[in-house]
């Protein structure tokens, strides 16, 4: 898979991302408070170098419940220090001493109750605090790039995590569409990676021609802060002002069955990329429906701070489903030195 196009001229810095887990902090913000009663125990957990699904399995084992009784909103980075909420369905009982689980790299911060299971994608935002170290390159150019990111945002690419180690999820998608049988989880990762590959390809085309943050004939629009879409419709002055103020965003396809909502030049780009990917027919056969995703992303509370000439902290918030690496890649080409956990 080729490197997606850069919106701001390519990264002016080179450096190390995640020299330690503490260099990549993620705080999940649900956007609501547990109601204090109900059949589901809500656990606010801090984890270091631990996989979200591994933690879910350990919670299920500790509570003696099936894995499906454990819920979480998002898959957080393994090679990081993250704080997120899990739910455990425990009607009529308290479960184990949650603060004494003894799981390596895992700490329970709080315990509460709620009436509903925590489902995927329900959290509002993720807050990031990321340290880039061993930096080389022009600080002046980096400052200019950071200013452009704050003003214009970045392309809303799916991050490399979506495609798996060495693009393993994409290879799984190829195998799935060739008829290989897979478990539910692996199949889900494969389908998501195939859709993300088409979306990234479309977005890269739009970035290369300079239209990722402006209107083309046939664009479908997403209302900022929501997943509501409308259009296509002719770009008038009112729509142009909404685009410039980040009230609306152009969108790209999450490929599936059914007609594209986009028309004109936009639909032409999307069909060409989808057909060239080799994944379109398989996604349609899997009965996934056509959906849309915003092409651009502007980080909220964007606050870069230089720790020294060769170390930079980036703090910002992103909506659920967006990737911090899509912000980082525009300013810094990175390598990683983080230690791999054993579990």
């Amino acid at each position: 898979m080729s490197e997606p196009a850069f919106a701001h001229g390519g990264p002016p810095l080179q450096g190390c991302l995640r020299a330690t887990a503490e260099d990549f902090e993620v705080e999940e913000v649900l956007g609501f408070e547990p109601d204090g009663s109900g059949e589901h125990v809500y656990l606010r957990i801090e984890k270091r170098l631990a996989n979200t699904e591994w933690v879910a399995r350990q919670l299920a084992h500790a509570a003696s419940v099936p894995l499906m009784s454990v819920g979480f909103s998002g898959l957080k980075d393994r090679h990081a220090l993250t704080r997120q909420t899990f739910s455990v369905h425990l009607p009529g009982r308290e479960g184990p001493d949650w603060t004494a689980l003894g799981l390596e790299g895992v700490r329970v911060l709080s315990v509460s109750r709620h009436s509903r299971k925590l489902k995927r994608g329900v959290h509002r935002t993720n807050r990031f605090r990321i340290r880039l170290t061993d930096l080389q390159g022009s600080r002046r150019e980096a400052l200019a790039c950071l200013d452009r990111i704050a003003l214009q945002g970045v392309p809303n690419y799916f991050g490399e995590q979506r495609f798996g180690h060495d693009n393993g999820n994409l290879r799984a998608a190829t195998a799935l569409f060739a008829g290989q049988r897979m478990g539910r989880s692996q199949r889900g990762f494969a389908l998501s990676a195939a859709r993300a590959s088409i979306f990234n390809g479309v977005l890269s085309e739009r970035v290369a021609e300079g239209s990722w943050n402006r209107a083309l004939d046939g664009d479908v629009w997403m209302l900022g802060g929501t997943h509501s879409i409308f259009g296509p419709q002719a770009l008038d002055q009112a729509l142009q002002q909404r685009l410039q103020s980040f009230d609306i965003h152009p969108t790209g396809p999450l490929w599936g069955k059914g007609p594209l909502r986009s028309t004109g030049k936009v639909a032409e780009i999307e069909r060409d990329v989808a057909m060239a990917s080799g994944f379109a027919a398989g996604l349609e056969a899997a009965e996934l429906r056509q959906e849309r995703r915003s092409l651009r992303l502007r980080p909220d509370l964007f606050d870069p701070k230089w720790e020294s000439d060769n170390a930079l902290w980036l703090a910002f918030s992103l909506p659920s489903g967006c990737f911090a690496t899509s912000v980082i890649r525009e300013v810094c080409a990175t390598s990683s030195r983080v230690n791999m956990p054993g579990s």
Side-chain angles (χ1 to χ4, degrees), residues 237-253:
Q237 185 175 359
L239 207 62
Q240 181 66 42
Q241 290 176 343
R242 295 180 70 187
L243 175 63
Q244 292 176 349
S245 67
F246 285 81
D247 181 51
I248 60 173
H249 309 281
T251 64

Side-chain angles (χ1 to χ4, degrees), residues 197-209:
S197 178
I198 293 175
F199 177 87
N200 276 11
V202 169
L203 178 50
S204 186
E205 289 287 327
R206 297 281 299 258
V207 171
E209 70 170 30

Side-chain angles (χ1 to χ4, degrees), residues 51-342:
N51 180 284
T52 297
E53 292 186 321
W54 177 82
V55 173
R57 289 194 297 271
Q58 305 314 305
L59 296 177
H61 177 74
S64 300
V65 297
L67 181 58
M68 65 181 297
S69 295
V70 178
F72 53 85
S73 184
L75 292 170
K76 298 295 181 287
D77 292 80
R78 179 183 187 182
H79 309 301
L81 179 68
T82 68
R83 287 172 288 276
Q84 68 178 118
T85 302
F86 293 79
S87 70
V88 184
H89 189 213
L90 287 174
R93 63 188 182 97
E94 293 301 318
D97 181 357
W98 295 109
T99 61
L101 290 178
L103 300 176
E104 183 178 359
V106 175
R107 185 162 64 102
V108 177
L109 302 177
S110 65
V111 182
S112 55
R113 283 270 180 175
H114 195 59
S115 55
R116 295 183 179 180
K117 179 180 180 179
L118 194 57
K119 295 185 178 181
R120 295 290 186 96
V122 300
H123 65 290
R124 186 179 64 195
T125 60
N126 290 307
R127 294 174 182 159
F128 296 91
R129 188 169 180 268
I130 296 166
R131 184 172 180 251
L132 301 171
T133 57
D134 299 337
L135 293 178
Q136 299 178 14
S138 169
R139 181 165 173 168
R140 179 183 59 81
E141 291 180 13
L143 287 168
C145 182
L146 291 167
D147 286 343
R148 288 193 296 272
I149 290 172
L151 289 173
Q152 302 173 25
V154 299
N156 191 22
Y157 289 121
F158 285 97
E160 60 187 14
Q161 306 97 305
R162 180 57 57 96
F163 305 108
H165 179 66
D166 196 26
N167 288 327
N169 291 341
L170 285 179
R171 291 197 302 275
T174 299
L176 175 67
F177 298 151
Q180 182 175 321
R181 297 178 64 86
M182 293 180 182
R184 180 178 178 181
S185 178
Q186 186 182 16
R187 182 177 184 274
F189 282 127
L191 291 173
S192 293
R195 292 182 109 187
S197 178
I198 293 175
F199 177 87
N200 276 11
V202 169
L203 178 50
S204 186
E205 289 287 327
R206 297 281 299 258
V207 171
E209 70 170 30
S211 66
W212 65 282
N213 57 357
R214 63 178 179 84
L216 285 183
D217 175 44
D219 258 322
V220 178
W221 303 96
M222 180 170 287
L223 185 63
T226 76
H227 295 289
S228 299
I229 62 173
F230 67 95
Q233 67 184 64
L235 185 69
D236 56 17
Q237 185 175 359
L239 207 62
Q240 181 66 42
Q241 290 176 343
R242 295 180 70 187
L243 175 63
Q244 292 176 349
S245 67
F246 285 81
D247 181 51
I248 60 173
H249 309 281
T251 64
L254 297 176
W255 203 266
K257 186 178 180 181
L260 278 173
R261 182 158 178 165
S262 58
T263 59
K265 183 177 181 181
V266 172
E268 181 182 339
I269 293 171
E270 293 174 356
R271 289 194 190 96
D272 286 348
V273 171
M275 295 306 108
S277 74
F279 294 137
L283 289 167
E284 293 166 15
E287 298 291 320
L288 297 175
R289 61 186 179 89
Q290 288 279 359
E291 296 177 301
R292 308 292 295 185
R293 174 182 170 92
S294 172
L295 292 182
R296 70 174 178 175
L297 168 67
R298 187 167 68 168
D300 193 21
L301 304 175
F302 190 59
D303 186 23
K305 282 185 169 48
W306 292 90
E307 180 180 274
S308 64
D309 285 342
N310 65 350
L312 173 66
W313 283 99
L314 296 177
F316 52 87
S317 294
L318 298 179
S320 62
C322 299
F323 291 79
T325 49
S326 296
V327 178
I328 297 166
R329 71 185 295 271
E330 291 288 337
V331 71
C332 186
T334 62
S335 60
S336 178
R337 291 203 310 262
V338 72
N339 292 324
M340 297 290 286

